[in-house]
Amino acid sequence: MYDLVIKNGLICTASDLYQADIAICNGTIECIAGNIEAHLASEIIDAKGAFVTPGGIDAHVHVDEPLKLLGEVADTMESATRSAVAGGTTTVIAFATQDVSQTGPKALSKSIENTVDEYARQTLYCDYALHLILFQVEKDSLEGRELLGVQLENVYHDYGVTSLKVFMTYPGLQMSDYDILTTMHASRSNGFTTMVHAENGDIIKWMIEDLESKGLLEAYYHGVSRPPAIEGEATNRAIILSSTLQTPILFVHVSSPDAIRTISKAQARGLRVYAETCPQYALLSDEVTKCNHSRALPYVKAEAVDLETHSCGGGDKPYKVENFEGAKYICSPPIRPEGCQQQIWDGINNGTFTIVGSDHCPYYYQDKISKASKHRAYHDGKDGRFRYIPNGLPGVCTRLPLLFTYGYSQGNMKDMMKFVEVNCTNPAKLYGCYPQKGSILPGVSDADLVIWYPPNSTKTEYPSKPTVIRNELLEHACDYTPFEGFEVSNWPRFTIVKGRIVYREGCILSSNATGAYLPRAKSSMCSS
Ligand SMILES: NC(=O)NCCC(=O)O
Ligand SMILES: [Zn+2]
């Protein structure tokens, strides 16, 4: 007997599209065959006419973590995994922050231990893994190189963590080229994937000061302070660092045409350079950051803001804090000007981008007690200027439905196999969890599957699917989505995690939540 059989679906992997039945037993794919007898199944789903894909892997998800590096964001691991499965994602990779109070060979293992312990107390709807965020090298010397190597070795042996992220920007997190080299050196000897947030932090600091001195303070100027070329410069510099050490590198949340060109050229030279982009860079232009924004309005002072009603008056020109709506779209790198979006689709189709992640980083828009919010930019006498707006957008739920609709259905993504490649299979290969995750292979893959609604079905047996994105559909804790009102042509009908249905036709099935921590192997793309 099988626990579950999915009949008549169109199985779509990164390499194939064919009709067959799938039998699931003990949480894994047991067999795939043209016809699996119904009487062999405890439960059957008829997926006639529907795509059956591997569950999505979202390899870039920020959630609340013990050290609160990003402040107290809206989603816990519990609500983030709940939102993930509602959008067809069955594995998320989040971040454990380096705890700089810990030192010595086990310092980084302890940072991860705290995070894993915190999430073990939560109900998880799908599996999760962790990258490490590293922002300080304990000793900047030859001895420091050796120590970091040992720390990473321990992180791998203790927790199966095989990737780390470094920043070339953000005050407090920005690493020097020296420290990035040390990190890449340790990554190389341990077969780790080095993920880089590439923006030139020094230029950004200068630009922010300059814009502020000219009174250019609203959300839109966040993007002006981080032009495409400065992402390109940092990308180029990081490639020089990684090629000096002949070690692979992965650029996360790539948004600028300059960076795309630089990455593509490096790939053409045979360098092992990988890249991630995100739906927001393909679907939004910086016009959204001008939302209700008008330079003619007086610049709002903190004391004049009533955070309850979000309106205020001051001087002879009354001013509404709704002019702050552009803050919902503030992220780094920023949403780019009109015209850049096509280059994101081109990069997905031609292979410059290896994966698509959401960079889910859910700050509330409105204020919440003790939680970080976009309106935090008005706290403590601050005045809402763009430099104080937390950077990040929610997106773990909307990633796949958006890419299905605006990528596959609208012809911006070459086919469904590409959709599976960048959203499911490549993230698994890149981050060392293939073929357990990201594929549908009998005997080796977890039964992490998504059954989509049959396209254009008029059959009455299917309940209606969402056609427009509304925040309340997303099952996350955040109070907005940057994609509110976006039409979608498809949505997951069933999300299955390790053989159990966790999302069925719009409803979360909490009793089937069995998500757990996922230790990973070394990357099959990035380790030598
Ligand atoms: N991307 C962003 O604006 N926030 C999340 C943190 C990061 O990934 O840089
Ligand atoms: Zn980043």
Side-chain angles (χ1 to χ4, degrees):
M1 287 294 287
Y2 302 117
D3 299 330
L4 174 65
V5 169
I6 300 165
K7 289 196 69 69
N8 308 315
L10 266 177
I11 299 174
C12 184
T13 68
S15 56
D16 297 296
L17 185 62
Y18 59 103
Q19 188 178 323
D21 296 350
I22 303 174
I24 294 163
C25 211
N26 295 325
T28 58
I29 307 287
E30 182 82 4
C31 84
I32 298 178
N35 178 30
I36 298 174
E37 297 291 333
H39 70 269
L40 295 174
S42 302
E43 188 177 357
I44 293 173
I45 296 175
D46 185 4
K48 190 166 175 41
F51 285 120
V52 181
T53 63
I57 299 180
D58 190 340
H60 198 147
V61 176
H62 298 276
V63 302
D64 206 35
E65 42 84 28
L67 291 179
K68 314 222 178 293
L69 182 77
L70 303 171
E72 206 174 334
V73 294
D75 278 317
T76 57
M77 185 55 88
E78 178 163 339
S79 60
T81 53
R82 192 179 160 96
S83 185
V85 300
T89 288
T90 55
T91 304
V92 299
I93 314 186
F95 295 86
T97 306
Q98 175 184 17
D99 178 353
V100 287
S101 70
Q102 306 282 353
T103 54
K106 288 281 187 179
L108 298 175
S109 298
K110 284 182 196 145
S111 307
I112 291 165
E113 182 182 356
N114 290 339
T115 312
V116 171
D117 285 352
E118 175 157 324
Y119 299 155
R121 292 190 282 274
Q122 300 175 17
T123 300
L124 306 180
Y125 292 83
C126 66
D127 287 350
Y128 81 95
L130 291 171
H131 311 289
L132 179 72
I133 286 183
L134 194 76
F135 55 96
Q136 264 180 39
V137 172
E138 202 175 309
K139 293 185 179 148
D140 55 355
S141 59
L142 274 176
E143 198 195 334
R145 277 190 216 176
E146 210 168 297
L147 176 60
L148 185 57
V150 174
Q151 288 171 333
L152 293 190
E153 193 182 334
N154 285 330
V155 156
Y156 171 59
H157 285 295
D158 296 340
Y159 287 100
V161 168
T162 55
S163 47
L164 55 82
K165 180 177 177 188
V166 297
F167 295 88
M168 299 173 84
T169 185
Y170 292 147
L173 298 182
Q174 183 177 337
M175 264 196 184
S176 65
D177 292 351
Y178 181 100
D179 284 353
I180 292 175
L181 270 175
T182 301
T183 306
M184 287 176 170
H185 187 263
S187 280
R188 185 180 70 176
S189 41
N190 284 285
F192 269 46
T193 306
T194 309
M195 308 155 72
V196 180
H197 178 140
E199 289 184 290
N200 183 319
D202 288 357
I203 301 182
I204 291 167
K205 180 170 181 282
W206 196 95
M207 294 288 273
I208 292 173
E209 285 167 6
D210 194 58
L211 288 162
E212 285 191 343
S213 75
K214 294 174 174 139
L216 303 172
L217 311 167
E218 293 86 348
Y220 169 72
Y221 296 103
H222 170 78
V224 177
S225 74
R226 315 171 93 95
I230 68 115
E231 188 186 340
E233 185 282 326
T235 303
N236 187 49
R237 185 155 38 99
I239 289 172
I240 290 169
L241 299 177
S242 68
S243 62
T244 303
L245 292 183
Q246 297 184 323
T247 188
I249 187 172
L250 165 81
F251 292 98
V252 289
H253 47 45
V254 173
S255 72
S256 101
D258 309 53
I260 296 171
R261 262 194 313 275
T262 306
I263 291 165
S264 174
K265 275 191 197 153
Q267 291 169 337
R269 284 167 53 209
L271 298 176
R272 283 194 295 164
V273 174
Y274 302 97
E276 170 203 71
T277 191
C278 313
Q280 53 270 32
Y281 300 124
L283 297 174
L284 301 174
S285 86
D286 65 355
E287 286 300 306
V288 292
T289 63
K290 294 179 184 164
C291 239
N292 299 317
H293 148 99
S294 162
R295 284 293 303 127
L297 288 169
Y299 158 54
V300 69
K301 291 274 177 249
E303 57 274 19
V305 179
D306 174 348
L307 289 171
E308 275 304 306
T309 61
H310 296 279
S311 63
C312 69
D316 31 332
K317 286 187 186 158
Y319 179 93
K320 285 239 179 241
V321 180
E322 276 81 0
N323 289 316
F324 193 58
E325 284 264 321
K328 288 181 175 175
Y329 307 93
I330 294 297
C331 59
S332 292
I335 304 295
R336 297 299 181 188
E338 206 80 53
C340 296
Q341 295 69 30
Q342 186 55 46
Q343 297 181 57
I344 299 287
W345 291 119
D346 292 346
I348 291 173
N349 286 317
N350 67 26
T352 307
F353 291 116
T354 320
I355 62 171
V356 178
S358 69
D359 192 11
H360 180 76
C361 186
Y363 291 107
Y364 285 108
Y365 176 60
Q366 309 286 9
D367 258 324
K368 304 272 172 191
I369 311 258
S370 92
K371 298 270 182 182
S373 70
K374 299 285 184 179
H375 277 86
R376 190 174 65 177
Y378 286 101
H379 284 200
D380 309 322
K382 297 193 206 96
D383 38 27
R385 61 180 78 178
F386 73 82
R387 85 146 80 203
Y388 299 124
I389 301 170
N391 292 194
L393 321 171
V396 71
C397 185
T398 46
R399 180 182 67 122
L400 294 183
L402 284 171
L403 287 176
F404 195 118
T405 303
Y406 295 93
Y408 167 66
S409 300
Q410 295 197 1
N412 283 314
M413 212 178 244
K414 58 184 174 196
D415 50 36
M416 267 305 279
M417 290 176 283
K418 189 67 174 175
F419 172 88
V420 172
E421 178 189 306
V422 293
N423 291 313
C424 316
T425 310
N426 277 357
K429 290 180 177 172
L430 187 60
Y431 291 117
C433 44
Y434 182 86
Q436 181 188 352
K437 303 289 188 189
S439 61
I440 312 180
L441 290 172
V444 288
S445 300
D446 284 352
D448 290 353
L449 299 165
V450 182
I451 303 173
W452 299 83
Y453 276 89
N456 310 320
S457 174
T458 48
K459 289 194 180 155
T460 47
E461 70 258 36
Y462 301 121
S464 63
K465 60 191 168 203
T467 53
V468 174
I469 292 179
R470 298 277 174 233
N471 195 47
E472 57 272 19
L473 293 174
L474 306 189
E475 300 283 345
H476 62 188
C478 198
D479 57 355
Y480 83 98
T481 164
F483 303 105
E484 185 76 32
F486 270 59
E487 290 186 7
V488 279
S489 62
N490 216 315
W491 196 268
R493 186 167 167 233
F494 296 89
T495 304
I496 298 166
V497 174
K498 293 184 284 188
R500 298 165 77 109
I501 302 168
V502 286
Y503 181 79
R504 182 205 298 261
E505 293 163 344
C507 297
I508 294 278
L509 304 183
S510 298
S511 56
N512 281 343
T514 57
Y517 177 67
L518 177 74
R520 291 177 289 133
K522 303 213 170 144
S523 167
S524 51
M525 291 181 172
C526 285
S527 59
S528 322

